[in-house]
Amino acid sequence: MNPIFRLSIVSVIIGSMIVGCQSNSTHSSDSLKDKSLDIETVENVEETPKVLSEEEAKEIVNGTLDSLFSKLDMIGMEHSWGQTKSPDYILIENQVENMVTDEFSSIILSDFVKEYYCKCGSFRPLVNTEVRFAFEQNDEQLKITAFEPAAGILSGYKWEFEFVKDKDIWKLHHWESTQLEGLDIEFTVEEAKAFLSNDKGNPKYVDEYEDGDGNSIYIFNMVNAPELSQVGFHSKDTSLLVGTRLKNVNHEIVQNNEGIAFTDLYFESPLFIRSNTDRYYLIERYGYPISENETTEGMQFEYVDSTYYLNKEGTELSKVVINESKAESFYYDFNEVIDVYVNDPEVWEYSSEYTYEKKSDNEGHHLILKDVYQKSRIIFTSEHQSGNPIKKITFTFD
């Protein structure tokens, strides 16, 4: 074969191989490039912060507050911190670092616990996330707004929380509260029910009226409530009207029930006026009182014809006062009382042994019966020495 022709063939083969390699190289490069783009796209998706739902935002604020204050309470009990012993924050900060940011810990929480443990000004935020809850997420920052209803005559609070995401954990970074008094907020009946259902029993809507400024006040009967029987909820600031304040504002709405349902004082009063009477029994038997007030000694239930005095827990009766409208209906005078409780042999067959004495003071004349077995007293009071008419009957338990 001609050497020149052979060289030409070899050149063509080599050239084809070079072109093929270049083509394969190009395809490989494109393929890697495509894979690189795919990898980059996946990485970008993973780095994009998750958009929280409303329920997840609620869980973050409720869960953080629950965990934080459970931890604070546990540490406080371990070290007996209180009014007479101040907390040592060094013992706290390491145990809450997975819940709060360093800034919140050093600037806010370190001062907060000083008043929290002595119960002299700072308390846990008791927000209700079911009423006007709002949140805003900006990447790894979260802002939450929630309301804390009033616990009494003072207004409630608007709380604003800020959370920062740190290694997949939403940490509390800031909080701030504003009293609702003076703010232009008008809560609805349903929102009021949601607030009251939180821990005060089961509210049953009764009526609505306006205060002097045109703001709505909703009246609820509280079923199975541990403390309140009837309450007025101020729509503007969530403050509560109870007892005399509720009566004075709108007495027509409040129950007008009697607290004495018997007509025979001697035979029936021991069945219904007992030291082990509690507030639930009173409400079940007589309905809601005109007012329910706290006194220095306990609780006071005021009905149309009588007033019941219970201990602070509402579990034990200490005194009952039957007022004039009902008291004068039982006996004509003191002598009739003595005849029934002391001198009547038919009564004595069923009764405990009573003794009596008479006294007078600036409140009037008194006939005092003492039950030596039951350790109780019944005091009949009148403006006249004869005891006619009887204006007040008081039961006391020693």
Side-chain angles (χ1 to χ4, degrees):
M1 182 180 292
N2 191 320
I4 296 176
F5 179 72
R6 183 184 300 168
L7 180 61
S8 298
I9 292 175
V10 173
S11 298
V12 170
I13 293 173
I14 293 173
S16 299
M17 293 175 63
I18 293 173
V19 171
C21 290
Q22 288 179 341
S23 176
N24 289 337
S25 175
T26 301
H27 287 307
S28 298
S29 176
D30 291 341
S31 178
L32 289 173
K33 183 177 181 181
D34 291 341
K35 290 182 180 180
S36 176
L37 287 173
D38 292 340
I39 293 172
E40 184 179 355
T41 302
V42 172
E43 289 176 349
N44 286 340
V45 170
E46 291 178 348
E47 290 177 355
T48 301
K50 176 186 177 182
V51 178
L52 298 170
S53 66
E54 181 175 310
E55 288 304 315
E56 288 172 326
K58 290 178 180 179
E59 290 176 3
I60 289 172
V61 65
N62 288 329
T64 301
L65 292 177
D66 287 344
S67 299
L68 176 60
F69 282 90
S70 293
K71 181 65 70 174
L72 292 179
D73 292 342
M74 183 187 70
I75 300 172
M77 291 179 62
E78 288 178 356
H79 299 282
S80 302
W81 293 334
Q83 294 182 343
T84 58
K85 186 178 181 181
S86 299
D88 183 354
Y89 193 69
I90 295 177
L91 301 175
I92 298 176
E93 57 183 347
N94 291 336
Q95 299 199 48
V96 298
E97 61 183 3
N98 64 330
M99 308 174 200
V100 302
T101 63
D102 292 341
E103 183 176 335
F104 182 89
S105 178
S106 61
I107 298 177
I108 298 178
L109 194 60
S110 58
D111 286 335
F112 173 85
V113 295
K114 296 174 184 176
E115 294 188 343
Y116 178 71
Y117 286 115
C118 73
K119 297 180 180 179
C120 51
S122 295
F123 303 94
R124 170 183 173 166
L126 296 173
V127 297
N128 186 321
T129 54
E130 300 305 314
V131 179
R132 303 213 187 174
F133 179 85
F135 73 103
E136 178 184 347
Q137 180 183 358
N138 183 12
D139 293 334
E140 296 186 342
Q141 294 181 332
L142 178 64
K143 293 184 179 181
I144 289 176
T145 300
F147 289 90
E148 176 181 354
I153 63 174
L154 300 178
S155 70
Y157 292 89
K158 175 183 178 181
W159 281 90
E160 294 178 299
F161 302 92
E162 293 182 15
F163 290 84
V164 174
K165 194 170 186 181
D166 180 19
K167 296 179 181 178
D168 295 327
I169 298 176
W170 287 100
K171 294 185 177 181
L172 182 58
H173 183 64
H174 183 74
W175 68 21
E176 185 175 339
S177 64
T178 306
Q179 271 198 311
L180 299 182
E181 184 177 5
L183 299 182
D184 188 17
I185 297 178
E186 190 76 13
F187 291 103
T188 66
V189 172
E190 291 303 316
E191 289 172 333
K193 286 182 66 175
F195 276 136
L196 294 174
S197 298
N198 197 23
D199 58 359
K200 297 181 177 65
N202 302 316
K204 182 179 179 181
Y205 178 71
V206 177
D207 208 340
E208 173 184 345
Y209 65 95
E210 291 186 353
D211 65 9
D213 298 324
N215 300 302
S216 296
I217 295 178
Y218 312 123
I219 307 300
F220 294 92
N221 283 339
M222 302 301 296
V223 182
N224 299 324
E227 297 177 0
L228 305 175
S229 60
Q230 191 172 64
V231 61
F233 182 97
H234 207 297
S235 63
K236 188 173 183 178
D237 57 16
T238 77
S239 60
L240 303 180
L241 284 72
V242 295
T244 303
R245 292 182 72 236
L246 181 58
K247 176 184 175 183
N248 291 341
V249 172
N250 193 353
H251 65 278
E252 294 180 357
I253 290 179
V254 183
Q255 297 286 351
N256 200 30
N257 295 325
E258 294 184 348
I260 302 297
F262 50 82
T263 56
D264 190 318
L265 189 73
Y266 178 80
F267 282 107
E268 294 184 276
S269 63
L271 301 176
F272 302 110
I273 299 179
R274 310 186 306 267
S275 62
N276 61 350
T277 296
D278 61 20
R279 67 182 302 278
Y280 298 106
Y281 171 83
L282 294 177
I283 293 173
E284 180 180 359
R285 180 164 184 81
Y286 304 117
Y288 291 102
I290 292 175
S291 66
E292 180 178 349
N293 301 307
E294 291 186 6
T295 68
T296 55
E297 297 178 352
M299 302 172 64
Q300 177 179 313
F301 272 53
E302 180 185 355
Y303 288 94
V304 171
D305 56 359
S306 56
T307 303
Y308 288 78
Y309 297 82
L310 296 94
N311 60 5
K312 291 183 178 181
E313 294 76 24
T315 58
E316 187 174 342
L317 189 65
S318 61
K319 183 171 69 172
V320 179
V321 177
I322 303 175
N323 62 32
E324 187 171 358
S325 65
K326 182 73 70 171
E328 63 183 14
S329 68
F330 294 107
Y331 301 110
Y332 179 76
D333 59 11
F334 288 164
N335 286 335
E336 185 180 2
V337 174
I338 294 172
D339 285 341
V340 171
Y341 278 84
V342 180
N343 297 333
D344 191 335
E346 292 184 4
V347 169
W348 265 68
E349 182 180 350
Y350 302 101
S351 72
S352 299
E353 183 178 356
Y354 281 96
T355 62
Y356 74 90
E357 62 177 326
K358 293 181 178 180
K359 288 184 177 181
S360 299
D361 55 26
N362 57 359
E363 291 186 3
H365 303 277
H366 310 284
L367 172 65
I368 305 171
L369 296 177
K370 295 182 179 180
D371 186 333
V372 296
Y373 294 119
Q374 300 292 336
K375 295 184 178 180
S376 62
R377 296 191 302 170
I378 308 175
I379 305 170
F380 296 82
T381 302
S382 174
E383 294 178 351
H384 304 282
Q385 192 168 5
S386 66
N388 179 24
I390 296 172
K391 71 173 185 178
K392 183 172 68 173
I393 302 174
T394 304
F395 291 77
T396 64
F397 302 91
D398 298 331

